[in-house]
Amino acid sequence: MFSSALEATRCEGVGVRTVSGIRGVIKRALRPPHPPGSVRATFEDRVQLSDLVFVRAWASVPLPQHCIPVPSLLLPEEDRASWQGVRPTSVLRKEHGLKTPHNPDSMYKPIVRVPRFLPPIHVPRSLQKSLPFSSKPKFTAPKQITPRNLVRPACHSVCVFELLHALRTMRNEKKRKQKTEKTTEVVKRAAEKGLKKSNKEIKGGARGYHGSTMKRGGGGSRGGGRKGNRWRGKTRT
């Protein structure tokens, strides 16, 4: 950065800045065997070898001395009003209709920076053995890519609640229909049983009328005849 050790010594403690905006400070000038003009500086972030570092420095520039005597006060009183000094450049350009010259290199232009892709840091194996476990590079297996047909879509909790509510409603409706059908069938069977029972009683009563005795649940003519014969036989003897 500097061409001599004197310049480096005079710039100790001066702030520096890179093109990417990383700030730093020059700490001290280095002595031989380092080349003259070498300095040690610290930065707030990592600096690459390809970065450009700028330092804002001021140097004393000697100004040329020029003296022009103004003899206006030595003129007679009638000539003092007509005296005119040196006109500035802006007045001369205005009188002659000239434009201010400009340098194209001094114009502001948009800064276009090409993005940099830094290579990964390679740590030698001999150095990896001496590093602690937290600083050692971890080699993990690549993640398995799930086939597209097996990926389950992410569902929100609201969707899950709506789905469960719909399934619960369908189950309750099915149970209600089954219960209604069962009740109807029970009532129908009870009505059929009651009708059959009444028919049996009617038939049993008609059969017991022809015989002398009637069994429980309706007796037949055969049983009544037997009992009647026994009773008749006893009476006869």
Side-chain angles (χ1 to χ4, degrees):
M1 181 177 288
F2 303 101
S3 58
S4 63
L6 179 61
E7 292 180 356
T9 306
R10 292 186 62 181
C11 290
E12 289 182 357
V14 178
V16 292
R17 192 184 186 93
T18 62
V19 177
S20 56
I22 302 173
R23 298 171 298 181
V25 178
I26 297 175
K27 291 295 183 179
R28 63 185 180 87
L30 299 179
R31 298 179 181 180
H34 298 283
S38 300
V39 295
R40 185 181 298 278
T42 58
F43 294 88
E44 61 184 0
D45 199 357
R46 184 181 176 184
V47 180
Q48 302 294 330
L49 293 175
S50 58
D51 286 342
L52 298 177
V53 182
F54 292 93
V55 55
R56 294 181 179 180
W58 287 265
S60 58
V61 179
L63 298 176
Q65 297 181 0
H66 186 67
C67 179
I68 301 176
V70 181
S72 59
L73 298 177
L74 301 176
L75 296 174
E77 293 183 1
E78 58 272 6
D79 297 336
R80 290 179 186 178
S82 61
W83 181 87
Q84 188 177 6
V86 179
R87 290 175 294 175
T89 309
S90 59
V91 177
L92 294 175
R93 286 175 182 166
K94 187 176 181 181
E95 290 179 356
H96 295 281
L98 300 176
K99 294 183 178 180
T100 305
H102 65 279
N103 188 3
D105 295 335
S106 300
M107 302 296 294
Y108 290 100
K109 298 177 183 178
I111 301 173
V112 180
R113 293 191 178 94
V114 181
R116 297 184 303 170
F117 300 95
L118 302 176
I121 301 174
H122 176 69
V123 183
R125 291 187 177 181
S126 59
L127 183 60
Q128 291 181 14
K129 295 179 181 179
S130 59
L131 291 174
F133 180 76
S134 59
S135 301
K136 287 183 180 180
K138 277 64 174 183
F139 301 99
T140 57
K143 294 183 179 180
Q144 297 182 357
I145 301 175
T146 309
R148 201 166 187 178
N149 56 344
L150 299 180
V151 176
R152 293 184 62 186
C155 186
H156 200 263
S157 59
V158 178
C159 301
V160 175
F161 176 77
E162 291 179 355
L163 177 62
L164 294 176
H165 182 68
L167 294 175
R168 196 179 297 109
T169 305
M170 292 171 62
R171 185 188 64 182
N172 295 338
E173 184 66 19
K174 186 177 180 180
K175 284 186 176 182
R176 188 186 64 79
K177 287 183 179 180
Q178 290 178 355
K179 189 175 181 180
T180 305
E181 292 176 358
K182 190 174 182 180
T183 306
T184 307
E185 188 175 357
V186 168
V187 173
K188 187 176 180 181
R189 286 182 180 179
E192 291 178 356
K193 285 183 179 180
L195 184 61
K196 288 181 180 179
K197 189 174 181 180
S198 60
N199 293 337
K200 283 182 180 180
E201 289 178 356
I202 294 171
K203 289 179 181 179
R207 288 177 182 177
Y209 177 77
H210 293 288
S212 59
T213 337
M214 185 177 65
K215 290 184 179 181
R216 185 178 180 183
S221 61
R222 187 176 180 180
R226 284 179 181 178
K227 286 185 178 182
N229 293 332
R230 287 177 184 177
W231 179 75
R232 290 173 184 172
K234 285 181 181 181
T235 50
R236 285 181 182 179
T237 55

